[in-house]
Amino acid sequence: MTTTHASRSDQERTLLASIPAGLLIDGQWRPASDNGVLPVTDPATGEVLLEIASATPQDGADALAAAAAAQRRWARVPARDRGEILRRAYEAVVARTEDFALIMTLEMGKTLAESRAEVAYAAEFLRWFSQEATRIDGRYSVAPDGNSRLLVTKKPVGPALLITPWNFPLAMATRKIGPALAAGCTVILKPAALTPLTALLFSQVLIEAGVPDGVVNTIPTRHAGAVTGPLIADPRLRKLSFTGSTEVGQRLLKDAADQVLRISMELGGNAPLIVFDDADLDTAVNGAMLAKFRNNGEACTAANRILVQEGIAPAFTERFVARVKELTLARGTDPDATVGPVIDQDTLDKVADLVADAVQHGATLAAGGHTLDRPGYFHEPTVLTNVPATARVMREEIFGPVAPIVTFSTEQEALELANSTEFGLVGYAFTSDLNRGLRVAEDLEVGMLGLNSGLVSNPAAPFGGVKHSGLGREGGREGIEEYLETTYVGIANPYQSADL
Ligand code: NAP
């Protein structure tokens, strides 16, 4: 495996050299069966960070064979022991916060502060599910007619394919691996081709924490469809958990139908953030900054449309624009950076096109609006006002540091605007009227609502969307259910033949 990091600090070089650059299959690190490699680049410079093994369909088949062979053994490991392994992994991730933060910043671009926050968030899924492992239960009951006895138990669904995106390279992996291992499922992790290094480091930590051979298999690849397609078609695979775009999710849903696979889909978003006249201005501005610019705006939960009621709109816009102008766009490793580069040239081009399209349709550029003329993929934090409904930015997921603001006059109008999308992941509402907040919670077509809060992600809460934003929930008590099957045993009345 070759590396190109002549201009890197000693710390970066040492970390890159320590990343296992192979595929993890059945507890062994190995090259791809065709010796193919996947170059991983730094979005802040465009330079190659590291070349790692790129799995072939044969490697995928080996990973599934290993996961299937380990399934029965792993399911029989006592829940307490599975939980202890996850707990050790939690402690190891926290202890290595700086390594995980740096590798994420290098391969994904976000600032080190953002990466550290992701490490803390990601680790919590391991702690949460280390505890949930011991709470898998069932029930015994007497049927209503007083005859049959009903025994209901839970068991792991079986080998699971976990496909993750590039925007939260660690948290999207722990949010799936945590509940899967807790439930007793073996897994094949297919991380995004753009950010596989974090997943490789995390896989190494899992092995060190005591995950047995074959239980976690990690296969980065340049050929996502060719490698995962045969796995989805294989009857030994029993579960697919996917986080990524709606477009790819829809395709995978169709493929998964043939084997009637258990499915979890965490897909795209187009979050409305609604600021009502009665909102506390500071809370609303802080919430909007967080909901929009966290993770460079590259979050499925990012506020995509900021809807502001007419009375508060001038004050909100002035304060929000001033805050956006204070952001510092720089390489994620720069201690002053508050926003980093976007992930790649395609994303940079898409974000620039969306801004140009909005301006062409009559929107006003209130802050930013340009790409930087330097290596890497930098787009200024941008605010657009007076954005017409016809602009693409109102309908498409932006996935970048661009905030479109539109005004509304009534609560009814805000809800209609907010719901006028096929997506339904998350919404945000800022109001000091509790009843209004509760009405929005009931009427907004979303899986999650941030009420006077610009952040909803919490390992103890069920994360997920409705409509085209997905199926199923990750995190919370619901998260482990996605990896469990229910078995019901019908038992004859034990008193039937008793001589009492
Ligand atoms: P993406 O292009 O859909 O890719 C997601 C994952 O799917 C990657 O690992 C990708 O591999 C893989 N993939 C792509 N084509 C595939 C195929 N034909 N068969 C099997 N796997 C395939 O999405 P992305 O650009 O990485 O992530 C951004 C999207 O994820 C946004 O829409 C965002 O909203 C969504 N997201 C949702 C959540 C949520 O919880 N709802 C969280 C984070 C992100 P390659 O990398 O090799 O293409």
Side-chain angles (χ1 to χ4, degrees), residues 163-167 172 175 190-193 221 224-225 228 242-245 248 251-252 266-269 300 397 399 425 463:
I163 303 181
T164 53
W166 50 263
N167 62 339
M172 297 304 96
R175 204 163 77 172
K190 207 300 285 171
T221 178
T228 59
F242 171 80
T243 298
S245 61
V248 173
R251 215 174 314 149
L252 295 179
E266 298 285 352
L267 308 177
C300 52
E397 189 176 26
F399 238 61
L425 186 62
F463 188 104

Side-chain angles (χ1 to χ4, degrees), residues 269-280:
N270 180 356
L273 184 145
I274 311 173
V275 182
F276 290 99
D277 280 348
D278 57 20
D280 177 81

